């Protein structure tokens, strides 16, 4: 069947269309994205303002039209941290439902972590052993650990690259004091969680997902996306530590000129790099392998798991 997932994230609204059936690898057929940056459209009270809701409704309409055009039979719509943590989330969801007919399922942070972990496990297989998975989104950081398809433990922290950029890094480029304050905040948040994971022992394989990690790996010399999904890509902490001060001294426009960095993500790349560096350092990770599958693929795989076999 042709299946679509509509991901209302903190940075983008992304429709991914795949051809899939139970027991088979989902084959991407179409991708439709719109930069919305909901995490940066919250007002002082933590609500998504009228302009943001209008944009969201319009983008969902566009995604529905794209899904119809591509022959999608089953659409799985969900939202993550930006909607989840908005103080007017119920009103936003009600308006989207009323004006588009789409019932967005709001994932918890734990659900995000579990579904991303499932995607990583399926990608690497059982031979990868105990996995530690790091995922930096626009609104949150998810960390998961385990040896099965369900992780043994997960945590979701409000350390997304978009959220931190909007709240902690004014200026272009931001000042040294602001960067240092963000670094302290990030590391304090992550450090509180390390003990929960360390009691399970060292992982056999550390994996990073998300656009932020992919762009950081590309800066550090990983293969381009055009080289295909199956090329092994890694991010070494040593390389990341060298890049953080360089990114800190650049303007958003200068970062956008770097290899693999999109204009829409360049503004929040520094915050993402600070989170990635902090997580890798505090968890003692020297090298993380980049996984091309993440949350959307996890949602697809879970949906396929619950479909009857032909």
């Amino acid at each position: 069947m042709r299946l679509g997932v509509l991901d209302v994230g903190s940075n983008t609204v992304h429709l991914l269309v795949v051809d899939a059936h139970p027991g088979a690898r989902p084959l991407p057929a179409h991708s439709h994205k719109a930069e919305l940056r909901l995490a940066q459209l919250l007002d002082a009270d933590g609500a998504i303002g009228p302009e943001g809701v209008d944009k969201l409704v319009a983008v969902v309409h566009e995604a529905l039209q794209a899904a119809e055009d591509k022959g999608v039979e089953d659409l799985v719509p969900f939202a993550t941290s930006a909607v989840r943590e908005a103080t007017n989330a119920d009103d936003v969801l009600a308006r989207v439902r009323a004006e588009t007919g789409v019932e967005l399922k709001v994932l918890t942070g734990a659900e995000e972590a579990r579904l991303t972990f499932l995607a990583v496990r399926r990608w690497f297989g059982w031979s990868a052993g105990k996995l530690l998975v790091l995922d930096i989104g626009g609104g949150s950081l998810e960390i998961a650990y385990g040896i099965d398809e369900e992780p043994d433990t997960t945590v979701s922290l409000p350390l997304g690259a978009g959220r931190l950029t909007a709240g902690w890094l004014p200026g272009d480029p931001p000042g040294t004091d602001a960067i240092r304050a963000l670094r302290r905040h990030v590391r304090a948040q992550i450090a509180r969680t390390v003990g929960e994971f360390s009691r399970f022992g060292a992982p056999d394989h550390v994996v990073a997902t998300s656009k932020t990690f992919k762009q950081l790996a590309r800066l550090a010399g990983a293969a381009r996306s055009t080289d295909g999904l199956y090329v092994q890509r890694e991010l070494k902490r040593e390389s990341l530590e060298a890049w953080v001060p360089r990114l800190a001294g650049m303007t958003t426009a200068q970062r956008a000129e770097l290899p693999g960095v999109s204009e829409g993500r360049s503004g929040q790349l520094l915050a993402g790099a600070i989170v990635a560096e902090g997580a890798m350092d505090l968890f003692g990770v020297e090298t993380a392998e980049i996984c091309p599958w993440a949350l959307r693929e996890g949602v697809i795989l879970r949906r396929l798991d619950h479909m009857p076999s032909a």
Side-chain angles (χ1 to χ4, degrees):
M1 69 180 303
R2 181 152 280 196
L3 175 67
V5 287
L6 180 60
D7 174 3
V8 178
S10 298
N11 284 314
T12 61
V13 176
H14 188 171
L15 170 71
L16 177 63
V17 178
V18 298
D19 291 321
H21 64 268
R25 173 175 59 94
L27 296 173
H30 179 70
S31 177
H32 176 88
K33 296 181 189 177
E35 293 266 352
L36 200 55
R37 299 190 190 135
L38 280 177
Q40 298 178 40
L41 294 176
L42 301 179
D43 62 23
D45 297 322
I48 300 174
E51 181 185 358
V53 181
D54 288 344
K55 288 181 178 179
L56 175 58
V57 170
V59 167
V60 171
H61 270 302
E62 291 174 10
L64 283 176
Q65 185 61 57
E68 180 183 321
D69 292 345
K70 297 301 176 182
V72 169
E73 302 171 58
D74 186 14
L75 182 68
V76 184
F78 66 92
T80 56
S81 63
V83 173
R84 178 171 70 236
E85 294 166 17
T87 54
N88 61 336
D90 290 342
D91 293 337
V92 172
L93 295 170
R95 185 162 163 213
V96 170
R97 182 172 58 249
E99 298 194 25
T100 69
V102 171
E103 184 89 40
L104 286 173
K105 172 180 170 53
V106 179
L107 299 180
T108 66
E111 286 173 326
E112 283 192 57
R114 287 199 299 269
L115 288 164
T116 301
F117 186 89
L118 171 65
V120 171
R121 170 58 74 196
R122 294 278 178 94
W123 181 267
F124 286 105
W126 298 113
S127 63
K130 292 177 286 187
L131 290 172
L132 175 65
V133 178
L134 308 172
D135 179 25
I136 302 171
S140 58
L141 162 69
E142 273 73 46
I143 307 170
Y145 174 101
I147 196 167
D148 297 317
E149 291 201 334
E150 280 289 324
D152 294 315
T153 188
T154 66
V155 68
S156 178
L157 299 172
L159 298 177
R163 177 203 297 269
L164 296 179
T165 300
W168 290 80
L169 295 179
D172 189 20
T176 302
D177 289 345
I179 294 171
R180 186 175 295 117
L182 175 59
R183 186 177 186 275
R184 285 196 300 266
H185 170 71
V186 165
R187 286 173 175 256
Q189 291 265 314
I190 295 172
R192 294 188 191 123
T193 72
V194 173
E196 169 63 23
F197 289 84
S198 61
R199 67 189 181 92
F200 289 99
D204 298 309
H205 203 64
V206 180
V207 177
T209 74
S210 74
K211 191 71 170 180
T212 294
F213 271 116
K214 289 175 183 176
Q215 291 187 342
L216 292 171
R218 178 74 184 97
L219 287 182
R224 298 169 296 179
S225 59
T226 53
D227 291 337
L229 289 179
Y230 302 105
V231 176
Q232 185 177 16
R233 296 173 175 87
E234 295 180 338
L235 175 61
K236 295 186 180 298
R237 174 154 54 102
E238 181 181 17
S239 298
L240 181 57
E241 289 172 344
W243 265 103
V244 170
R246 293 177 64 183
L247 292 171
M250 293 180 178
T251 64
T252 297
Q254 288 170 331
R255 289 185 215 127
E257 295 176 358
L258 295 170
V261 178
S262 65
E263 184 177 352
R265 301 276 182 148
S266 59
Q268 62 186 46
L269 187 60
L270 172 59
I274 290 171
V275 175
E277 180 192 31
M280 292 180 74
D281 186 14
L282 289 164
F283 279 92
V285 176
E286 296 299 329
T287 303
E289 186 167 358
I290 307 300
C291 181
W293 280 5
L295 176 60
R296 281 182 291 275
E297 287 78 13
V299 170
I300 291 168
L301 292 166
R302 181 62 75 224
R303 176 74 182 88
L304 292 173
D305 287 347
H306 287 88
M307 286 175 58
S309 300

